[in-house]
Amino acid sequence: MTIKLVVGGLTLNIISAYASQVGLDEETKRRFWEDLDQVVVSIPPTEKLFIGGDFNGHIGSVSMGYDEVHGGFGFGCKNSRGASLLDFAKAFGLRVANSSFPKKEEHLVTFRSSREATQIDFWLLRKDDKSLCKDCKVIPSEYLTTQHKLLVMDLEIKRKKKKRVVDDRPRIRWGRLTPSSALEMGEKLMAMGQWDSRGEASSMWDRTASCIRETAREVLGVSRGRHSGYREDW
């Protein structure tokens, strides 16, 4: 499942993934990665990408050749399914967020049962966006109904700043519009002879708008002071 959000001028794509369980055939496992590949490829590189889910694999506590995607703060020992996740991340320029921060075991283990404690749930994001991730850890809780623990990633998305700009262009004094001036404008517009219905709608509108602006400048006048406003920028 993919959710698309627009936050602070950025487009965020959040993907929820669930890898096939241990014991299923290789064809099922292969289809999962192919389907996830297609989803990731469909997202433009200009948009932000975050993938979270249960990948049923262990990436291990050390990077071991995956330094660009593994931050070196994992749990346990890497297995083949964890290697598949790291290879996927490497192929698409992603980074495993919850391997990037030193944590105690209780904030690393995402699945705990009476027999084992493992790290199989992960958040991934583009390597170029790793500065957006301020923290990623497990929130231990006694109230979850499943054996999975809540994995949270903290992101800092900065909004666009508004810059003050000055516009020196003359502006029509619309505030001077009164019933009498409106009547005068109407008479002048009718005298222009431009009020016909020939041509395309866009051309008709352009002619009409041009006549109105010309008449308004003549009747109402224009201001030539400096006008300030705002524009958004990073």
Side-chain angles (χ1 to χ4, degrees):
M1 180 180 69
T2 303
I3 298 175
K4 188 181 291 285
L5 302 172
V6 177
V7 179
L10 299 177
T11 301
L12 280 57
N13 296 271
I14 305 171
I15 299 175
S16 176
Y18 181 75
S20 54
Q21 297 180 351
V22 177
L24 295 181
D25 59 89
E26 293 300 320
E27 176 64 19
T28 301
K29 299 176 184 177
R30 182 183 62 81
R31 285 202 305 269
F32 164 78
W33 289 112
E34 288 181 351
D35 291 344
L36 187 57
D37 287 355
Q38 292 178 4
V39 174
V40 173
V41 168
S42 68
I43 297 174
T46 54
E47 298 181 0
K48 306 303 179 184
L49 172 63
F50 306 100
I51 305 174
D54 178 0
F55 289 90
N56 278 305
H58 307 155
I59 65 171
S61 58
V62 292
S63 57
M64 294 182 62
Y66 291 96
D67 296 348
E68 66 269 44
V69 299
H70 190 309
F73 300 105
F75 179 81
C77 298
K78 182 176 65 179
N79 61 10
S80 60
R81 296 168 69 84
S84 296
L85 172 60
L86 294 172
D87 288 335
F88 165 80
K90 190 173 183 179
F92 287 100
L94 305 175
R95 188 173 180 86
V96 181
N98 47 319
S99 72
S100 302
F101 301 93
K103 300 293 181 182
K104 297 179 180 179
E105 178 179 319
E106 62 180 308
H107 297 298
L108 290 173
V109 172
T110 65
F111 180 90
R112 190 181 295 275
S113 67
S114 58
R115 295 182 300 175
E116 61 179 342
T118 60
Q119 184 186 43
I120 56 177
D121 302 287
F122 301 97
W123 273 110
L124 289 81
L125 74 164
R126 299 192 200 275
K127 288 190 292 184
D128 292 342
D129 295 327
K130 64 180 182 180
S131 61
L132 299 178
C133 182
K134 302 306 178 183
D135 196 10
C136 188
K137 66 179 181 180
V138 168
I139 306 297
S141 174
E142 298 292 335
Y143 301 102
L144 294 179
T145 57
T146 67
Q147 294 169 314
H148 287 269
K149 302 300 180 181
L150 182 62
L151 178 62
V152 176
M153 179 170 60
D154 295 337
L155 299 174
E156 184 178 278
I157 307 295
K158 295 183 178 180
R159 296 182 61 85
K160 288 184 177 180
K161 297 180 180 179
K162 291 185 176 181
K163 289 187 176 180
R164 193 178 186 88
V165 295
V166 176
D167 187 357
D168 292 328
R169 293 175 299 175
R171 295 188 177 185
I172 298 173
R173 296 181 180 273
W174 291 106
R176 292 183 175 181
L177 187 64
T178 62
S180 61
S181 60
L183 180 61
E184 182 182 354
M185 286 182 58
E187 293 174 351
K188 289 182 177 293
L189 287 169
M190 293 302 295
M192 287 182 174
Q194 296 293 330
W195 302 90
D196 55 56
S197 57
R198 294 174 298 175
E200 297 181 353
S202 59
S203 299
M204 293 168 56
W205 169 251
D206 289 340
R207 290 196 303 271
T208 300
S210 178
C211 289
I212 292 174
R213 286 193 293 267
E214 180 182 342
T215 303
R217 291 190 187 97
E218 182 181 342
V219 175
L220 305 177
V222 296
S223 61
R224 299 186 179 278
R226 294 165 64 88
H227 304 279
S228 61
Y230 291 90
R231 72 180 180 189
E232 289 190 338
D233 201 356
W234 287 104

